[in-house]
Amino acid sequence: MASTDLLVSPRLGRLSELARVRLGQAPTPLEPMPRLAERLGIRQAWVKRDDCTGLAFGGNKVRQLEFYLGQARSEDADTILITGAVQSNFVRLAAAAACQLGMECHIQLEERVPKSDPVYRNSGNVFLDKILGAKLYSYPRGEDEEGADRRLHEIASSLREKGRRPYVIPLGPGHKPLGALGYVVAAAELLAQLEEREVHVDKIVVPSGSGATHAGLLTGLRALDCSIPVMGVCVRRNAAAQTERIKAQCSEIAQLLEIPPVVTNGDVLLIDDFLAPGYGQLGDAAVEAITLSARTEGLILDPVYSAKAMAGFIDSARSGGPQQSLLFIHTGGTPAVFAYGAELADRANKHRDAE
Ligand SMILES: *Cc1c(COP(=O)(O)O)cnc(C)c1O
């Protein structure tokens, strides 16, 4: 069945009625990675190229923003407020989407990563935020979702007093997971591609940060009766904490769609082996993932998310046996490679020497 037919399936409840603006290009490509599969000794490796969603260097947040900005537009907002790490892809894409819709964008950058390197602080996504004309604020802490959200609401109040109509995209849990709906859509899109091309996969590997991508994809697949395991690779918090977060989000998504719960506890799979040394910091496995993907498939990963998820993919390939067919969701984030330039180039070169 085509993905457009799946989207209006009663199994996805109210999905097609909820406010949405089209920002990205879909479907994103589903590509084989034969050289990576061969190197890892597995039957097949696939990548869903959500780094190619089109808008301003692309990435998973394009799909998520379609629902947040749909809501913003239905409330007649003229200004978007969003918070994230210094090298956040979400804020860069919110700024780009706001431009496209004729809105202003105010961005709060949190000190989540202990890096004082001027390249980290000015290149990559920060550079793009400036090109896109966003107004930038900084927030001194990095592990304070509630405080960061509270500050955004304070900025929103002062904008409201000046006659603007702000819309806040919240960070912490406890709000409607509108962004995850973008990945319910992606699940329908992916299923249609797998069916059409008669591709069978044993497992899907995805980074798990706020959880919107992981929870949305998992909910969409299960609602559409697909039982492929989805393994989340922790990039922000440990597996125990992230498991609770994903479970809660899956039930909130089902409520939003007005469908019965479809995700069981056993469906929520997470590994945190590649989280160290912490959010936005590169471990050796992530550097290996970046160099291996680049040098087998020409596929560029980002240092914060997709590199760690690919480290999980490589680990699954090595431990799961030669008959496997694995699918990787590339969530984008590629502008951040420039912000990690010096460190990454140096460590990637060492890999070359070791090969
Ligand atoms: C935000 C982000 C993630 C994590 O997605 P969540 O939906 O927040 O879990 C993964 N990859 C990239 C490139 C991102 O920007």
Side-chain angles (χ1 to χ4, degrees), residues 1 5 25 29 44 53 84 90 99 106 141 181 185 187 208 211 248 272 281 291 310 318 323-324 333 337:
M1 214 191 281
D5 298 332
Q25 296 188 7
Q44 286 179 338
T53 45
F90 204 2
C99 291
H106 292 237
R141 287 183 295 281
L181 300 176
V185 173
S208 198
D272 57 12
Q281 300 178 64
T291 54
M310 180 54 84
R318 287 178 178 154
Q323 282 313 310
Q324 294 180 92
V337 292

Side-chain angles (χ1 to χ4, degrees), residues 59-61 64 88-90 92 183 207-214 235 242 302 304-306 330-334:
N60 63 342
K61 301 312 185 310
Q64 301 186 15
S88 164
N89 303 300
F90 204 2
R92 175 246 310 167
Y183 272 84
S208 198
S210 76
T213 304
H214 182 183
V235 295
Q242 189 69 0
D302 85 289
V304 183
Y305 300 100
S306 52
H330 187 164
T331 48
T334 43

